[in-house]
Amino acid sequence: MAASFDQANVLQRGLRRFSATAPGSWFFKRVLHHLDLLGHRVAPGRPAVSTVLAGIPVGLLTTTGARSGQPRTVPLLAVPLEDGWGLIASRFGSERPPAWYFNLRADPRATFEVAGVAHPVHAEQLVGPDRERVRRAALAIYPGYAVYEDRAGGRDLGFFVLRPTGPASA
């Protein structure tokens, strides 16, 4: 049993390292990201593909589209914090932020689903020490964020904290 656990950890560490490379980011952005969302639709409440393969905690963020007004759901790395969850709008180090970044700035009310439980949340974009707190917590889970910061070419990645605003629902 211990040998299979160690093998899983080695695989997960390897996938986390791979995802920080240019080819790995390409794969995660274009393939694994969509598998996480598909997996949620097929088997809601089950761990995301990224969680199983790479050991990365994933939550589903549902925002209101800034232009469309329609609900938009996207799987994201969830950084557990004492006061909610931290999110980083890295988009794998792209020069432009992801759509959910603009959605949260337009309307900070959202839903964040973790482990099959949906939490109504309010998003706050962070600066200063709070931003650094989320950055450190994220790097402890996934060191690839440092590579994304470099690759983004000086763009502020956009750090948020999602704070629960009401009772959760299963």
Side-chain angles (χ1 to χ4, degrees):
M1 184 70 154
S4 64
F5 180 74
D6 290 341
Q7 290 170 341
N9 282 338
V10 168
L11 175 63
Q12 290 174 346
R13 283 192 305 271
L15 281 173
R16 282 188 294 237
R17 277 193 302 275
F18 172 67
S19 68
T21 67
S25 291
W26 183 93
F27 174 77
F28 272 68
K29 185 177 0 181
R30 289 172 179 80
V31 178
L32 196 55
H33 175 78
H34 297 291
L35 288 178
D36 283 338
L37 194 53
L38 177 64
H40 168 71
R41 289 184 179 143
V42 172
R46 301 277 188 177
V49 175
S50 296
T51 301
V52 173
L53 292 178
I56 294 172
V58 173
L60 292 164
L61 176 67
T62 301
T63 60
T64 301
R67 288 188 283 187
S68 71
Q70 298 298 310
R72 303 290 184 215
T73 301
V74 60
L76 299 171
L77 187 145
V79 179
L81 303 169
E82 290 178 8
D83 56 340
W85 298 272
L87 301 179
I88 301 175
S90 67
R91 196 173 176 208
F92 300 92
S94 296
E95 292 178 6
R96 290 194 30 84
W100 64 261
Y101 168 88
F102 299 105
N103 296 348
L104 284 181
R105 289 182 50 119
D107 183 355
R109 296 169 299 167
T111 303
F112 196 59
E113 184 178 326
V114 180
V117 179
H119 304 267
V121 295
H122 184 271
E124 178 185 344
Q125 191 166 2
L126 303 174
V127 295
D130 284 333
R131 178 191 181 281
E132 189 57 30
R133 172 179 67 111
V134 171
R135 182 181 181 276
R136 280 193 314 271
L139 287 170
I141 294 170
Y142 176 59
Y145 276 123
V147 175
Y148 295 166
E149 287 175 316
D150 292 341
R151 194 179 302 150
R155 168 178 76 84
D156 178 17
L157 296 185
F159 289 71
F160 292 84
V161 65
L162 302 178
R163 292 190 175 94
T165 60
S169 60

